[in-house]
């Protein structure tokens, strides 16, 4: 695989703090977002993700003051998601200093939002996140979930990715509910299936626990490797990960 992969630590936020859960629940504190962002930029992260994990279910917007504070210290592009429900809320997040926005539940409920955002901000600034879980009754074996992984939609995850890709989105971020925080490896069939049918970059998200997991995801077609716990708790550090990927034939920045 010749495309250079991007290493992207993810800061899941709740009440202004970085937290980390397992399967979207069992949340533990992992520090201050500004300090975390600073440390990751210094450690060689290529991009950062900041996800306000309870904004949608608490029916509120993203914490803009946190976005502003992170933007002040961040030296790499960063994507903000959670609670972005329309073009105006996306504009506010970008104005606060984010480089990209990530939409999930709102885009699923109103797919017209995706082309509207692309028209307003350009395709590079819009990421569509898709929470997925195993469902053998779906053609691909995976179902789309919304509301922070709480609500099943009855819609096939790979079909939805294909539809999203058709709008011209540059990045699609599937997160496996089964894999989230479990450190048992990324859900490779999802990555492979979406990479096959989409032109967009596919982000591997949910389940990284050791170096091999990142390599497996890159070999399965992911060009952005996202992780949280393993980075937050220094089980794996970014320079070590990049060196390992490079040794195994994966191009890194």
């Amino acid at each position: 695989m010749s495309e250079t992969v991007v290493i992207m630590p993810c800061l899941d936020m709740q009440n202004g703090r970085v937290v980390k859960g397992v399967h979207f629940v069992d949340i533990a504190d992992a520090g201050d977002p500004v300090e975390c962002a600073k440390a990751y930029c210094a450690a060689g992260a290529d991009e950062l993700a900041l996800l306000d994990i309870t904004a949608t279910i608490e029916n509120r917007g993203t914490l803009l003051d946190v976005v502003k504070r992170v933007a002040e210290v961040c030296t790499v592009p960063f994507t903000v998601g959670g609670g972005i429900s329309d073009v105006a809320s996306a504009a506010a997040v970008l104005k606060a200093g984010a480089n990209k926005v990530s939409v999930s539940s709102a885009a699923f409920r109103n797919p017209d939002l995706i082309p509207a955002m692309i028209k307003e901000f350009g395709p590079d600034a819009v990421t569509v996140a898709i929470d997925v879980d195993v469902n053998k009754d779906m053609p691909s074996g995976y179902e789309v979930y919304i509301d922070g992984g709480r609500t099943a939609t009855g819609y096939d995850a790979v079909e939805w990715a294909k539809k999203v890709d058709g709008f011209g989105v540059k990045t699609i971020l599937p997160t496996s509910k089964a894999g989230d925080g479990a450190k048992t490896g990324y859900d490779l069939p999802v990555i492979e299936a979406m990479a096959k049918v989409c032109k967009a970059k596919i982000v591997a998200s949910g389940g990284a626990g050791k170096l091999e997991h990142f390599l497996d995801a890159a070999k399965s077609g992911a060009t952005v490797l996202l992780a949280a716990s393993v980075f937050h708790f220094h089980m794996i550090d970014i320079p070590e990960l990049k060196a390992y990927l490079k040794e195994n034939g994966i191009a890194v920045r």
Side-chain angles (χ1 to χ4, degrees), residues 63-246:
L63 300 168
L64 293 176
D65 58 320
V66 177
V67 176
K68 279 187 187 125
R69 283 170 33 228
V70 169
E72 280 163 16
V73 301
C74 205
T75 55
V76 298
F78 78 106
T79 301
V80 174
I84 295 169
S85 54
D86 50 28
V87 170
S89 54
V93 166
L94 293 167
K95 194 179 171 196
N99 304 87
K100 307 176 187 185
V101 292
S102 172
V103 282
S104 177
S105 304
F108 184 83
R109 288 197 169 98
N110 173 22
D112 292 342
L113 181 59
I114 302 169
M117 282 186 172
I118 288 173
K119 190 179 171 197
E120 189 71 26
F121 312 118
D124 289 319
V126 183
T127 294
V128 175
I130 307 174
D131 290 335
V132 307
D133 206 358
V134 174
N135 179 345
K136 295 198 169 38
D137 296 333
M138 297 283 139
S140 70
Y142 291 92
E143 183 177 2
V144 177
Y145 274 68
I146 54 173
D147 304 328
R150 287 162 177 81
T151 310
T153 62
Y155 203 102
D156 185 83
V158 176
E159 272 310 302
W160 174 234
K162 211 167 151 182
K163 186 171 178 177
V164 165
D165 190 64
F167 290 123
V169 165
K170 293 283 179 76
T171 310
I172 295 174
L173 195 171
T175 298
S176 162
K177 198 175 164 183
D180 177 65
K183 304 187 191 66
T184 49
Y186 294 109
D187 203 328
L188 302 176
V190 172
I191 294 168
E192 275 170 19
M194 289 187 181
K196 262 194 195 107
V197 298
C198 297
K199 290 192 188 84
K201 287 178 179 166
I202 303 298
V203 181
S205 166
K210 51 188 187 184
L211 291 167
E212 291 81 359
H213 294 157
F214 291 93
L215 180 63
D216 292 343
K219 286 180 171 171
S220 297
T223 47
V224 182
L225 306 177
L226 178 150
S229 324
V230 287
F231 294 147
H232 298 341
F233 304 118
H234 293 288
M235 293 152 67
I236 293 173
D237 286 320
I238 293 167
E240 173 196 9
L241 172 58
K242 286 190 172 183
Y244 171 81
L245 290 171
K246 206 172 168 183

Side-chain angles (χ1 to χ4, degrees), residues 10-94:
C10 180
L11 309 177
D12 288 333
M13 304 257 316
Q14 196 172 16
N15 307 321
R17 296 286 292 173
V18 176
V19 295
K20 192 58 208 128
V22 178
H23 311 309
F24 299 167
V25 291
D26 300 332
I27 305 293
D29 189 88
D32 172 70
V34 178
E35 291 310 311
C36 288
K38 220 190 261 180
Y40 282 133
C41 290
D46 300 312
E47 295 197 20
L48 281 183
L50 191 70
L51 297 181
D52 192 341
I53 57 173
T54 53
T56 298
I57 49 166
E58 288 168 8
N59 202 15
R60 59 172 172 79
T62 309
L63 300 168
L64 293 176
D65 58 320
V66 177
V67 176
K68 279 187 187 125
R69 283 170 33 228
V70 169
E72 280 163 16
V73 301
C74 205
T75 55
V76 298
F78 78 106
T79 301
V80 174
I84 295 169
S85 54
D86 50 28
V87 170
S89 54
V93 166
L94 293 167

